Amino acid sequence: MRKISLYLMLLTSAAFIASCDKSKNVQLHTIINEDGSCERHVSYSNVMTKTERDSLWAGDNVQWAYPLPECLNIDAFMDSHTDIGEGDTVTTTFRSMFNSVEEMCQRTPLNLNGSRIKSKASLEKHFCWLYTEYTYTETFISVEDSFKLPVANYADKDVISYWFTGKPNLMQGLTGSEVSQRISKMEEQVDQWFNDNFYQSVFEYMVDNYDSIPNPPISKERFVALRDSFYHYIIGKSEMMVLNLEIQDNYREFYHSNAYADFFNDETPLGEGLSNKLYTHFNIFSFDVPYILTMPGTVWNPGTGIIKDGTIHYQLTGERLIPGDYVITATSRVTHIWAYVVTLLIILLPLAVSFYRRKK
């Protein structure tokens, strides 16, 4: 029987966390102008109940009925407006303009675990007579340091990149059964990485708060010394150490004491603190913000994005920030109509002169 994937259970838990946030529908839109200036629009949506709608005044007052999602940071945004769409969907959009892409990225309007997501950007312009080519690149800084144990210790670099970002395509040319085998192997490696990180987080938290345990069965030093022994014991009891709902029983059985129960009870200070610490890991996997990019002219290279109705769409997710920096890039061209006119005149002028001389 194939074992249950810890990673799939993680994604299910992360999806549940996201679904608990009424304001999870966040979208980021970056607009690049020909002169190098730029705009950022960030919006979030809610579905308003009939009771909420009846209790609100129409117009701008709507936005104050809903708290900002925790992933938004709007300190750099100048103005906003709120619209009520179909199905009583309330969408609030914040907008700000910047003189350069470098200035814009100093105020990225997204938070992850209480800190602003860092990004850096560049805009290159190349004048080519008949057109000007624009290449915009924005790099979102990795959150790999959120995990004590780096994922690079568990799998090959390309495997890690494929699992979290889909690039490079390691499945090209493989059959369905071969793809399944490779995915299963990757899944085991990622499971091990996440399992070990969660165990590390739980263990460190318990050691840091060991003095708060009433009547511990062993000293802190002995608890630390038994770290690996308990790890092997609990892995032997369950393939999913961290998400094992009986983990409290495992502690009681191994240490012959119920002294550690408060760590796994959210209604106690110790349990609440541990839950908050583990939540920061889950929160990375629940972070998902559609990113829309509008470039000047016509886009001819969207990078990893998909062109829809003249704009480029990317997925900015916490997963994509784990193996390394996540890069969004696109190239477009603005056609110079005047250059075509001048070129045509340059071509036609000698012909016109020659024709004029022959006529004369």
Side-chain angles (χ1 to χ4, degrees), residues 30-272:
T30 299
I31 301 172
I32 306 299
N33 300 317
E34 291 186 37
D35 62 0
S37 64
C38 49
E39 298 180 33
R40 266 233 160 111
H41 301 178
V42 61
S43 62
Y44 72 104
S45 302
N46 298 274
V47 177
M48 186 167 51
T49 66
K50 182 178 185 302
T51 301
E52 289 172 332
R53 181 167 188 145
D54 292 343
S55 66
L56 293 174
W57 296 98
D60 292 339
N61 291 332
V62 174
Q63 73 179 74
W64 305 114
Y66 298 99
L68 281 176
E70 65 177 26
C71 68
L72 278 190
N73 188 328
I74 58 170
D75 59 358
F77 285 76
M78 298 183 303
D79 55 63
S80 67
H81 67 272
T82 299
D83 302 304
I84 300 177
E86 295 181 2
D88 287 338
T89 298
V90 180
T91 301
T92 300
T93 302
F94 300 88
R95 169 182 171 272
S96 194
M97 303 180 66
F98 303 91
N99 294 321
S100 67
V101 296
E102 292 82 5
E103 177 188 354
M104 176 181 67
C105 285
Q106 292 176 5
R107 296 293 185 89
T108 302
L110 299 174
N111 286 339
L112 182 56
N113 287 328
S115 298
R116 187 191 299 273
I117 289 180
K118 297 179 181 178
S119 72
K120 52 186 178 181
S122 64
L123 178 63
E124 298 179 3
K125 295 172 59 176
H126 298 285
F127 179 77
C128 301
W129 180 246
L130 294 178
Y131 61 86
T132 295
E133 187 172 87
Y134 294 80
T135 298
Y136 174 73
T137 302
E138 184 168 3
T139 302
F140 291 88
I141 308 304
S142 173
V143 298
E144 183 182 10
D145 58 2
S146 299
F147 300 90
K148 291 285 185 180
L149 304 175
V151 67
N153 292 354
Y154 292 79
D156 178 77
K157 179 180 179 181
D158 286 345
V159 169
I160 296 166
S161 179
Y162 175 79
W163 183 269
F164 290 107
T165 72
K167 303 291 182 179
N169 183 7
L170 301 181
M171 304 303 166
Q172 186 172 359
L174 299 182
T175 66
S177 62
E178 290 169 339
V179 168
S180 177
Q181 292 173 19
R182 292 206 65 179
I183 290 294
S184 295
K185 178 63 176 177
M186 294 179 188
E187 200 170 63
E188 290 177 3
Q189 293 170 320
V190 176
D191 276 0
Q192 188 65 51
W193 164 73
F194 198 76
N195 202 35
D196 289 355
N197 267 288
F198 261 51
Y199 180 75
Q200 180 76 10
S201 294
V202 172
F203 178 79
E204 289 183 352
Y205 180 83
M206 294 181 73
V207 171
D208 291 342
N209 294 275
Y210 205 82
D211 294 339
S212 299
I213 302 173
N215 302 317
I218 56 177
S219 67
K220 180 192 293 188
E221 291 71 24
R222 181 60 177 160
F223 183 80
V224 172
L226 290 174
R227 176 188 185 278
D228 292 341
S229 296
F230 179 68
Y231 175 84
H232 292 299
Y233 172 79
I234 199 170
I235 286 295
K237 299 283 286 186
S238 171
E239 294 170 342
M240 298 163 292
M241 184 279 300
V242 175
L243 296 182
N244 177 13
L245 298 179
E246 298 178 352
I247 188 171
Q248 179 179 329
D249 296 335
N250 298 147
Y251 274 87
R252 185 182 64 253
E253 293 167 2
F254 184 85
Y255 294 103
H256 306 289
S257 172
N258 202 36
Y260 305 110
D262 282 355
F263 286 102
F264 308 102
N265 182 355
D266 289 347
E267 296 181 359
T268 68
L270 288 175
E272 182 181 6

Side-chain angles (χ1 to χ4, degrees), residues 311-352:
T311 61
I312 316 171
H313 295 247
Y314 305 86
Q315 285 299 121
L316 177 58
T317 63
E319 280 189 275
R320 287 173 169 81
L321 297 175
I322 290 175
D325 297 345
Y326 177 59
V327 180
I328 284 174
T329 187
T331 302
S332 66
R333 289 175 178 173
V334 173
T335 301
H336 301 155
I337 302 299
W338 59 267
Y340 279 91
V341 173
V342 171
T343 301
L344 183 62
L345 290 176
I346 292 174
I347 295 173
L348 294 178
L349 183 59
L351 297 176

Side-chain angles (χ1 to χ4, degrees), residues 27 290-293 304-309 311-315:
Q27 179 175 279
Y291 183 111
I292 300 174
L293 176 63
T304 58
I306 298 174
I307 300 176
K308 297 179 182 178
D309 301 323
T311 61
I312 316 171
H313 295 247
Y314 305 86
Q315 285 299 121

